[in-house]
Amino acid sequence: MKLKERRGSLKVTSGCSLRATPLSPSARAQLFQPSVSTRNLGRSREERSFPGKSVTESFAKVIHGLHVGHLTDHVIQRSKRMILDTLGVGFLGTSTEVFHKASEYSKIYSSSSSTSTVWGRPALRLPPTYAAFVNGVAIHSMDFDDTWHPATHPSGAVLPVLAALSEALPPNARLSGLDLLLAFNVGIEVQGRLMNFSKEANDIPKKFHPPSVVGTLGSAAAASKILGLSMTKCQEALAIAVSHAGAPMANAATQTKPLHMGNAAKHGIESVFLAMMDLQGNKQVLDMQTGFGAFYDNYSPKVLPNLDSYIWLLDQQDVAFKCFPAHLATHWVADAAASVRKHLVTDRTVLPIDNIERITLRTPDVQYVNRPFPDSEHEARHSFQYVACAMLLDGDVTVPSFHKQMINRPQIRELLCKVELEHPRDNLPSFNTLYCEISVTLKDGATFVERSDTFYGHWKKPLSQKDLEAKFRANASRMLPCDMVERLIKIVDNLEDLQDCSELATLLKGPAPSEMLSQSI
């Protein structure tokens, strides 16, 4: 099979390897001219789009029309922090069982023409779609990736796409750091705009896992940008992506949940490739209740701002970075538990478990994070109760806290039996407003109460650059030697000045087996 973008000389051959002419973003923009029909005639009443200008067309215009001149210093700095953190949790995620299963499965698609790297696995190269899939799974395998408001994990569906596609370009089609930053932010922006069309999306999700929905379209938007699609093809790619989107929250706290992120990355690329093959979809898909509106109640889409007055959502709303690998809502619980522990444990003493009568957690009503007795690492990452007990017992929550032997400790099980959950009416399930209060009552009647209204790493209390880099070092050093870790920090810190992203791609492969052997001798 051969596929060619008629006006841009972009083609995909069998095995999904990519070839492209060496075009700058501005040159690409000049090549593609819009040709979009926004008619709504002949549709049934229930299929009709929202009145007024086409929302879908406005998204295509923004994806196609944004250029590096639109990037602000604030957006560049915030997105570089997101990229660094995402790379770190991705490297860490390559140690997980779910990553191993996803990568073993994807090997059947590998061939001698495969171009794209699986991070930290220099011997494994895959077609761009499957490299993006496997790296996306790694990023979300521990639920350690960034979180935005409205609630989604924005980076994990986008960065693997750009890394995979950048390697598929021929050597004379260099992708610069600014090109990567632009496409990354286009993918993030599309997710944020879609989430803001529904009041339901402001809350912690109940039906669909957001990365599987908005992440799929963000992936398609980023891929469309990096490949220089015309506005018409951007619109088609979004339409196709909507039919790839959606995964139920029932699979939260299981090994399947990280697949949502991997599939979002993979399906976004596939949507773009199919659009390049002239596959057509509904050009009003974002305008319609039976289109993207099917995923959210109270869906009220709006045409995006004009490019000459465009303001990035990331300029207005930062992301949260996690200090331990678990659902974001558990970070309020850990913060409150750490405070109350100071009343119970003095220097060189242990938690007096036998003296504790009752532990009460006052949290929002989020059922999939209400797991009284978690039985796996994935359930423990989605358990208010477990995170509270781990913090009370150990004084910290870390990566090893979710290992099977830690979850099944007798002391933890004894504490879990003492935990009760309450859901105050004013404690709404929104990452922007929720709180956690913990009350520990001793058998002598003494009660200690602490409350967390935010935690360190939340956008209201941002992680310092020093601590963000420390998190990256801790995560990436599990797979990479120290010199490569430091080089990655430096490259990402100066990403806007990078002339050729192949330098970044080389580091993402990790050391060759011969290098690892020489370092171990």
Side-chain angles (χ1 to χ4, degrees), residues 125-283:
R125 300 184 73 77
L126 295 170
T129 47
Y130 283 92
F133 167 71
V134 172
N135 291 328
V137 169
I139 288 166
H140 198 54
S141 62
M142 290 187 177
D143 214 324
F144 209 0
D145 43 330
D146 57 18
T147 306
W148 211 13
H149 176 73
T152 194
H153 305 283
S155 299
V158 174
L159 188 59
V161 170
L162 302 178
L165 290 177
S166 70
E167 289 187 279
L169 296 171
N172 61 345
R174 294 189 307 175
L175 185 77
S176 72
L178 271 177
D179 292 336
L180 189 147
L181 282 165
L182 175 62
F184 178 82
N185 278 289
V186 166
I188 301 301
E189 180 74 6
V190 163
Q191 295 179 68
R193 292 289 177 179
L194 290 169
M195 297 289 285
N196 275 285
F197 290 162
S198 168
K199 292 181 180 178
E200 178 190 356
N202 281 289
D203 294 339
I204 298 172
K206 294 181 179 179
K207 295 186 299 184
F208 295 99
H209 190 208
S212 74
V213 181
V214 296
T216 305
L217 276 78
S219 165
S224 296
K225 192 64 183 175
I226 204 173
L227 296 179
L229 264 62
S230 68
M231 196 183 87
T232 302
K233 292 296 171 63
C234 289
Q235 202 164 352
E236 298 289 11
L238 291 173
I240 298 165
V242 170
S243 283
H244 276 307
M249 288 304 303
N251 273 324
T254 73
Q255 286 189 335
T256 297
K257 188 189 178 198
L259 301 187
H260 299 173
M261 191 69 77
N263 281 329
K266 172 176 174 283
H267 290 155
I269 296 179
E270 289 177 337
S271 299
V272 169
F273 285 174
L274 290 167
M276 291 165 66
M277 291 181 66
D278 295 326
L279 187 73
Q280 297 179 357
N282 191 315
K283 292 185 174 65

Side-chain angles (χ1 to χ4, degrees), residues 71-367:
L71 293 172
T72 65
D73 290 342
H74 206 201
V75 164
I76 288 174
Q77 293 306 314
R78 283 182 169 177
S79 56
K80 287 193 300 183
R81 283 164 57 86
M82 294 163 71
I83 289 169
L84 185 69
D85 185 66
T86 303
L87 291 175
V89 299
F91 279 117
L92 178 65
T94 62
S95 65
T96 62
E97 184 180 359
V98 63
F99 167 84
H100 175 72
K101 291 176 179 178
S103 59
E104 285 298 305
Y105 160 74
S106 297
K107 283 180 182 178
I108 65 175
Y109 299 99
S110 182
S111 71
S112 59
S113 62
S114 296
T115 59
S116 300
T117 296
V118 175
W119 298 347
R121 296 289 191 275
L124 178 57
R125 300 184 73 77
L126 295 170
T129 47
Y130 283 92
F133 167 71
V134 172
N135 291 328
V137 169
I139 288 166
H140 198 54
S141 62
M142 290 187 177
D143 214 324
F144 209 0
D145 43 330
D146 57 18
T147 306
W148 211 13
H149 176 73
T152 194
H153 305 283
S155 299
V158 174
L159 188 59
V161 170
L162 302 178
L165 290 177
S166 70
E167 289 187 279
L169 296 171
N172 61 345
R174 294 189 307 175
L175 185 77
S176 72
L178 271 177
D179 292 336
L180 189 147
L181 282 165
L182 175 62
F184 178 82
N185 278 289
V186 166
I188 301 301
E189 180 74 6
V190 163
Q191 295 179 68
R193 292 289 177 179
L194 290 169
M195 297 289 285
N196 275 285
F197 290 162
S198 168
K199 292 181 180 178
E200 178 190 356
N202 281 289
D203 294 339
I204 298 172
K206 294 181 179 179
K207 295 186 299 184
F208 295 99
H209 190 208
S212 74
V213 181
V214 296
T216 305
L217 276 78
S219 165
S224 296
K225 192 64 183 175
I226 204 173
L227 296 179
L229 264 62
S230 68
M231 196 183 87
T232 302
K233 292 296 171 63
C234 289
Q235 202 164 352
E236 298 289 11
L238 291 173
I240 298 165
V242 170
S243 283
H244 276 307
M249 288 304 303
N251 273 324
T254 73
Q255 286 189 335
T256 297
K257 188 189 178 198
L259 301 187
H260 299 173
M261 191 69 77
N263 281 329
K266 172 176 174 283
H267 290 155
I269 296 179
E270 289 177 337
S271 299
V272 169
F273 285 174
L274 290 167
M276 291 165 66
M277 291 181 66
D278 295 326
L279 187 73
Q280 297 179 357
N282 191 315
K283 292 185 174 65
Q284 306 298 314
V285 71
L286 303 184
D287 299 69
M288 299 168 61
Q289 292 283 14
T290 54
F292 191 80
F295 293 111
Y296 294 105
D297 295 332
N298 305 309
Y299 183 65
S300 182
K302 298 176 178 61
V303 172
L304 297 189
N306 293 325
L307 291 173
D308 58 1
S309 58
Y310 203 86
I311 298 175
W312 300 88
L313 290 181
L314 191 58
D315 245 334
Q316 303 168 306
Q317 175 66 59
D318 201 359
V319 300
F321 295 110
K322 299 177 179 179
C323 292
F324 60 87
H327 188 276
L328 192 73
T330 66
H331 287 63
W332 279 268
V333 172
D335 190 58
S339 296
V340 87
R341 187 178 191 272
K342 295 175 182 177
H343 300 290
L344 304 172
V345 178
T346 58
D347 290 343
R348 298 182 181 180
T349 64
V350 296
L351 184 73
I353 298 175
D354 292 341
N355 293 337
I356 294 176
E357 178 73 25
R358 183 172 61 255
I359 302 168
T360 304
L361 304 179
R362 299 178 182 92
T363 68
D365 185 6
V366 183
Q367 287 304 306

